[in-house]
């Protein structure tokens, strides 16, 4: 399974909120901090701890995977 598919599977296990990748950054279609933190925690536990996340505009949260 590719990295993006693995990440999206983790997101799907936490929420039914839409998510997509663009230029290596994961975008989650929510600004709800509870959902955003829950997804962050799952990604850091199941994929990698090297993640930075923050709000993008008024409707999305972004997750950058650091190397």
């Amino acid at each position: 399974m590719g990295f993006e598919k693995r990440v999206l599977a983790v997101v799907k296990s936490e929420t039914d909120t839409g998510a997509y990748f663009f230029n290596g950054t994961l975008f989650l279609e929510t600004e709800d901090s509870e959902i955003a933190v829950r997804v962050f925690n799952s990604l850091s536990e199941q994929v990698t701890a090297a993640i930075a996340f923050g709000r993008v505009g008024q409707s999305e949260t972004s997750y950058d995977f650091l190397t």
Side-chain angles (χ1 to χ4, degrees):
M1 180 182 285
F3 178 77
E4 291 181 0
K5 287 183 179 182
R6 183 174 170 205
V7 168
L8 291 172
V10 171
V11 171
K12 188 172 183 167
S13 73
E14 291 297 326
T15 182
D16 60 353
T17 302
Y20 62 94
F21 273 91
F22 182 76
N23 287 338
T25 300
L26 172 67
F27 291 91
L28 184 64
E29 297 173 349
T30 187
E31 61 182 50
D32 184 327
S33 60
E34 182 180 336
I35 294 171
V37 170
R38 189 170 65 230
V39 168
F40 174 83
N41 289 337
S42 289
L43 290 172
S44 66
E45 290 172 1
Q46 298 178 41
V47 181
T48 181
I51 306 171
F53 77 117
R55 185 188 289 187
V56 179
Q58 294 189 4
S59 62
E60 292 184 321
T61 301
S62 68
Y63 298 82
D64 286 313
F65 298 89
L66 311 172
T67 57

